[in-house]
Amino acid sequence: MKRVTLALTFALAAGLTAQAADAQTLKTVKERGVLSCGVSQGLPGFSSPDDKGNWTGLDVDVCRAIAAAIFNDPTKVKYVPTSAKDRFTALQSGEIDVLSRNTTWTISRDTSLGANFTGVTYYDGQGFMVKKSLKVNSALELNSASVCVQTGTTTEQNLADYFKANNMKYEVIAFGTNDETIKAYEAGRCDVFTTDQSGLYANRLKLANPNDHMVLPEIISKEPLGPMVRHGDDQWFDLVKWTLFAMVTAEELGITSKNVDEKAKIENPELKRVLGTDGNFGEQLGLTKDWVVRIVKAVGNYGESFDRNVGAGSPLAINRGLNNLWNKGGLQYAPPIR
């Protein structure tokens, strides 16, 4: 029994030592004084800079929320624009601490890139955009069409699968960046532009005459979009994951950027746990007790972020749909903070 107990003790100690050795990202970020966050090269509603270099978007809010949780300051973020092709290399190399860039969660990416997805910020699906002048009302009318697509994305394979399944022919016109792809479509180098449906609405705003173009009704794939972190640092994985869960939980409990201080005074067990007046859940993540308060004050809950960036309060005006809370007909659901 003594030998077994001793062996278990050594094994536990070794495991804790390995865990401590791996938990370096949070330490590095704190010492650097800024979070390095990989974003897109410019996708309205998700991550795009204004003419003064200020970044906004749903994906940007994830970066801001993490910075708020760590530093109590959502501005302590360095935004690193990444293309579809180089985004994973930037994460693997350590150039960025987290990738928050409309990236689809797939089994191959989850198992072969040395990285973990931390959750789903936006439930999406691939669609098609065409000029209204083509008088096309369904993707099933696109036989023999030329299709503009960005390389290095899940879009290409989905496109091939859809046309093959429906016995249709097509021609691929591929480009390396999103901007190149949408410019080629607008210039008439192809009949159709395809990407995630959220991206279609975002890119349509870039066109000279957005109302001349329409998004077709078909959704041909599942595209759960979310942030990624490197393998090997469970503390950082947990921190990013629970930052997302905190925003969803706050919306479910009616905690907003405007009422968070008042909510913290209410004698409700669940509110007390979430807002840090009971328990040490923030400290378990390497943060402070008021980590959720910091996040919501700086960024808002998930619903506030959605509406401001891509929903009813934004130029995109995308319906919540699948991205509504689970108790309102959507898929957004967070494990309990307890």
Side-chain angles (χ1 to χ4, degrees), residues 119-165:
V120 178
T121 50
Y122 191 96
Y123 289 95
D124 210 346
Q126 187 172 329
F128 301 94
M129 181 164 64
V130 298
K131 296 179 179 66
K132 290 180 180 178
S133 60
L134 286 182
K135 300 188 183 303
V136 170
N137 296 305
S138 167
L140 294 174
E141 300 173 31
L142 296 177
N143 189 34
S144 299
S146 56
V147 184
C148 281
V149 62
Q150 185 182 357
T151 58
T153 67
T154 57
T155 308
E156 294 172 284
Q157 186 61 56
N158 294 334
L159 180 65
D161 290 348
Y162 181 76
F163 273 77
K164 184 177 181 179

Side-chain angles (χ1 to χ4, degrees), residues 32-327:
R32 189 196 303 135
V34 65
L35 173 75
S36 181
C37 194
V39 290
S40 75
Q41 294 169 309
L43 185 64
F46 289 85
S47 52
S48 60
D50 61 18
D51 54 5
K52 296 181 181 178
N54 299 311
W55 286 81
T56 58
L58 190 67
D59 291 335
V60 167
D61 275 356
V62 172
C63 310
R64 295 176 63 237
I66 297 168
I70 298 170
F71 300 112
N72 200 23
D73 185 347
T75 68
K76 290 192 173 183
V77 183
K78 175 187 176 184
Y79 296 102
V80 181
T82 62
S83 69
K85 184 178 180 181
D86 65 20
R87 55 185 158 172
F88 303 124
T89 303
L91 181 63
Q92 292 161 343
S93 68
E95 180 184 0
I96 57 177
D97 306 308
V98 58
L99 176 66
S100 185
R101 184 205 179 280
N102 58 300
T103 300
T104 301
W105 190 342
T106 69
I107 186 172
S108 57
R109 289 175 174 177
D110 209 14
T111 58
S112 65
L113 296 176
N116 285 325
F117 282 87
T118 59
V120 178
T121 50
Y122 191 96
Y123 289 95
D124 210 346
Q126 187 172 329
F128 301 94
M129 181 164 64
V130 298
K131 296 179 179 66
K132 290 180 180 178
S133 60
L134 286 182
K135 300 188 183 303
V136 170
N137 296 305
S138 167
L140 294 174
E141 300 173 31
L142 296 177
N143 189 34
S144 299
S146 56
V147 184
C148 281
V149 62
Q150 185 182 357
T151 58
T153 67
T154 57
T155 308
E156 294 172 284
Q157 186 61 56
N158 294 334
L159 180 65
D161 290 348
Y162 181 76
F163 273 77
K164 184 177 181 179
N166 288 285
N167 296 311
M168 297 191 301
K169 296 179 181 179
Y170 70 105
E171 178 189 1
V172 170
I173 312 292
F175 299 90
T177 69
N178 179 73
D179 281 348
E180 289 175 329
T181 311
I182 191 65
K183 286 177 182 177
Y185 163 75
E186 186 170 31
R189 294 180 62 184
C190 56
D191 303 312
V192 187
F193 174 51
T194 184
T195 189
D196 296 343
Q197 194 174 67
S198 62
L200 296 177
Y201 284 103
N203 280 295
R204 188 168 64 169
L205 296 178
K206 297 181 179 181
L207 301 175
N209 298 295
N211 290 331
D212 291 346
H213 305 263
M214 65 181 291
V215 177
L216 298 178
E218 285 83 3
I219 298 292
I220 68 169
S221 68
K222 292 189 295 184
E223 307 291 332
L225 311 179
M228 298 179 76
V229 297
R230 285 182 296 280
H231 277 168
D233 190 339
D234 285 349
Q235 182 192 42
W236 185 246
F237 173 63
D238 289 342
L239 188 155
V240 175
K241 176 173 58 179
W242 281 95
T243 295
L244 299 179
F245 290 155
M247 294 176 69
V248 173
T249 298
E251 181 183 7
E252 185 177 336
L253 295 177
I255 304 168
T256 71
S257 54
K258 295 180 180 179
N259 70 15
V260 61
D261 287 329
E262 292 304 313
K263 289 283 188 177
K265 299 174 184 177
I266 297 175
E267 288 297 319
N268 175 287
E270 188 171 14
L271 287 175
K272 288 169 72 70
R273 286 194 298 269
V274 170
L275 298 178
T277 55
D278 185 25
N280 63 339
F281 304 107
E283 292 166 345
Q284 291 174 3
L285 294 169
L287 302 171
T288 57
K289 288 179 180 290
D290 65 342
W291 63 292
V292 177
V293 173
R294 291 181 171 192
I295 291 169
V296 177
K297 269 190 175 182
V299 182
N301 63 38
Y302 176 79
E304 288 179 283
S305 178
F306 187 99
D307 290 343
R308 177 174 64 244
N309 292 300
V310 299
S314 79
L316 276 67
I318 298 174
N319 188 281
R320 279 290 290 268
L322 294 178
N323 292 290
N324 220 326
L325 294 178
W326 65 279
N327 53 7

